[in-house]
Amino acid sequence: MADRAMGKRRKVEEKVDIANLSFGEDFEHAEAMLNAEVKTVIEKLNETNQLERDDMSEMMSNTFKYVEMFGEFQDLDSISLCKRELMELGDLKVHGFEAASLGNLMPATADEAKSLITSLQRFDDEDVKQMCNIVQRYKKT
């Protein structure tokens, strides 16, 4: 019984701090996805008949409409290359969440990126501008 109470207390005390890239235990090993990746996953499920459009829940249908509208990359190769280039940028150690956020939000300037993704504050403006340029280069034309 004491173990259970201790477990609940630990859950309550767990801090989620996105600015410091602390997402909590539930998301510790999760991979952040770009909208375009989510769109591709749903499309693949549809193609393999694992998910029929008529059978989609309202939430799944709304998610698909959203990512279809905001998925700004041409294909999976562009997505993969963009994320990889961001995460391997020098020795900056760009987190997967930051790479996905940059790809989803597509900020044009370092100031915009730092305003939208507060964890980027740890980088200097030139590095963040370089991240923005990478994303803009892979953006669907």
Side-chain angles (χ1 to χ4, degrees):
M1 185 85 161
D3 288 337
R4 251 189 181 173
M6 190 66 152
K8 283 185 180 182
R9 189 176 309 128
R10 237 183 269 130
K11 282 276 191 199
V12 172
E13 291 175 8
E14 182 178 53
K15 297 286 184 205
V16 174
D17 184 2
I18 294 172
N20 290 309
L21 301 172
S22 176
F23 304 101
E25 188 178 311
D26 291 341
F27 295 98
E28 191 174 320
H29 300 290
E31 181 181 341
M33 296 175 72
L34 277 76
N35 291 331
E37 288 175 296
V38 174
K39 177 183 177 232
T40 303
V41 168
I42 294 172
E43 286 174 339
K44 293 288 182 201
L45 289 172
N46 280 334
E47 287 173 12
T48 60
N49 294 323
Q50 292 179 27
L51 183 65
E52 295 292 331
R53 262 216 206 261
D54 295 340
D55 295 336
M56 274 199 233
S57 69
E58 183 178 350
M59 183 177 75
M60 182 68 81
S61 181
N62 288 340
T63 300
F64 184 76
K65 287 175 190 171
Y66 178 86
V67 296
E68 191 171 41
M69 191 179 328
F70 295 107
E72 291 287 339
F73 289 84
Q74 284 290 71
D75 52 35
L76 280 176
D77 287 339
S78 296
I79 296 165
S80 296
L81 289 170
C82 182
K83 279 176 80 172
R84 186 175 327 126
E85 193 170 337
L86 286 168
M87 293 175 69
E88 294 174 357
L89 187 59
D91 54 347
L92 296 180
K93 297 184 179 166
V94 176
H95 190 278
F97 169 78
E98 294 167 322
S101 296
L102 285 161
N104 287 333
L105 299 170
M106 301 212 157
T109 66
D111 285 342
E112 183 182 7
K114 286 181 172 185
S115 294
L116 295 170
I117 309 162
T118 55
S119 62
L120 295 178
Q121 296 290 336
R122 70 186 196 281
F123 300 115
D124 66 40
D125 284 353
E126 277 305 308
D127 291 332
V128 177
K129 179 61 180 165
Q130 190 175 358
M131 293 173 205
C132 293
N133 290 340
I134 290 168
V135 170
Q136 295 298 323
R137 192 171 65 239
Y138 285 101
K139 182 178 176 178
K140 182 173 26 176
T141 55

